[in-house]
Amino acid sequence: MSSAPAALWRRLTAEFLGSGFLAAVVIGSGIAAQRLSPGQTGLELFENAAATAAGLFAIILMFGPVSGGHFNPVVSFADAVFGGLSWRDAAAYLPAQVAGCIAGAVAANLMFALPAVTISGKHRATGAHFLSEVIATAGLLLVIFALARSGRARSAPAAVGAYIGAAYWFTSSTSFANPAITIGRMFSDTFAGIAPSSVLPFIAAQIIGGIAATAIIKALYPAITPADAAAIIVPHAGPTAQPADGAAHHNAPLPGK
């Protein structure tokens, strides 16, 4: 049997805090890389990507047992499409994720003795960046839902961290793949920032990537169930979830639920 989901306020708190830590890791490690390796862009990107990959893995483990560890509106709404999360809850996750990423950006600025808010001037809106964000976002969702459908959801924290770390390098956009972190990174004029004029094109590309991934997932995994969807990213019970064949143990109650 699947357990009841945690109270909504607890899940929203987890999504806010997880998103905040994610933004702090992305932006803070970018600032540190820029200061420790000035003028060495490749090394700066490597340091930023490595910290983000490892940090994302840990953050998902920290907060995933409560909310599923989405920290990304595209992931939450894709989960709702497949029945793992209610549309009402997905809509509630979105402001928590965005607010968390903004708070994390402010925290990162302050930790490095910068003004709390510095609007980025780094323009990234090109055709290549747009295509990169479509592909990066689609790939992220495919990783997440393929693992859930095949009963390997417990590998998702490591797989998501590894995918984002790799996508820093194989996409020209450095794989934001997340509307909430895109908005958050606007508030830091540092290595990981993005200019306000580039935010809407990035978010549009991420939405397109999410829609494309949803169609691909339905084509590749037509038997995906609400129970499968409820197992992303860290197994968590959804309002309509029932254990899937061969995957019941992946939907067992976790500590703190």
Side-chain angles (χ1 to χ4, degrees), residues 51-134:
T52 299
L56 183 55
F57 179 21
I59 293 164
I60 291 171
L61 293 179
M62 287 163 64
F63 299 107
V66 179
S67 67
H70 295 183
F71 319 135
N72 185 334
V74 175
V75 173
S76 297
F77 281 99
D79 200 13
V81 168
F82 291 105
L85 186 69
S86 73
W87 287 99
R88 169 181 168 274
D89 288 359
Y93 273 30
L94 188 153
Q97 293 158 346
V98 172
C101 284
I102 294 172
V106 171
N109 289 334
L110 293 175
M111 285 192 291
F112 286 90
L114 296 172
V117 174
T118 55
I119 301 300
S120 178
K122 185 170 290 187
H123 296 280
R124 300 175 183 261
T126 68
H129 287 105
F130 189 92
L131 177 60
S132 293
E133 283 301 293
V134 171

Side-chain angles (χ1 to χ4, degrees), residues 207-221:
I207 293 172
I208 292 171
I211 293 170
T214 300
I216 294 169
I217 292 163
K218 287 185 175 181
L220 295 179
Y221 304 105

Side-chain angles (χ1 to χ4, degrees), residues 139-171:
L140 174 63
L141 291 183
L142 288 169
V143 168
I144 292 168
F145 281 91
L147 289 173
R149 180 66 188 104
S150 59
R152 296 174 293 160
R154 295 194 183 276
S155 299
V160 169
Y163 175 81
I164 291 298
Y168 259 76
W169 289 91
F170 79 75
T171 66

Side-chain angles (χ1 to χ4, degrees), residues 174-257:
T174 65
S175 184
F176 285 45
N178 180 339
I181 195 69
T182 301
I183 293 171
R185 288 167 74 160
M186 180 176 67
F187 292 91
S188 184
D189 190 18
T190 58
F191 182 79
I194 180 172
S197 60
S198 299
V199 168
L200 287 181
F202 263 56
I203 292 176
Q206 292 154 1
I207 293 172
I208 292 171
I211 293 170
T214 300
I216 294 169
I217 292 163
K218 287 185 175 181
L220 295 179
Y221 304 105
I224 193 167
T225 67
D228 297 324
I232 71 155
I233 293 177
V234 172
H236 60 290
T240 61
Q242 295 296 328
D245 291 344
H249 65 286
H250 292 284
N251 295 319
L254 292 173
K257 293 202 66 175

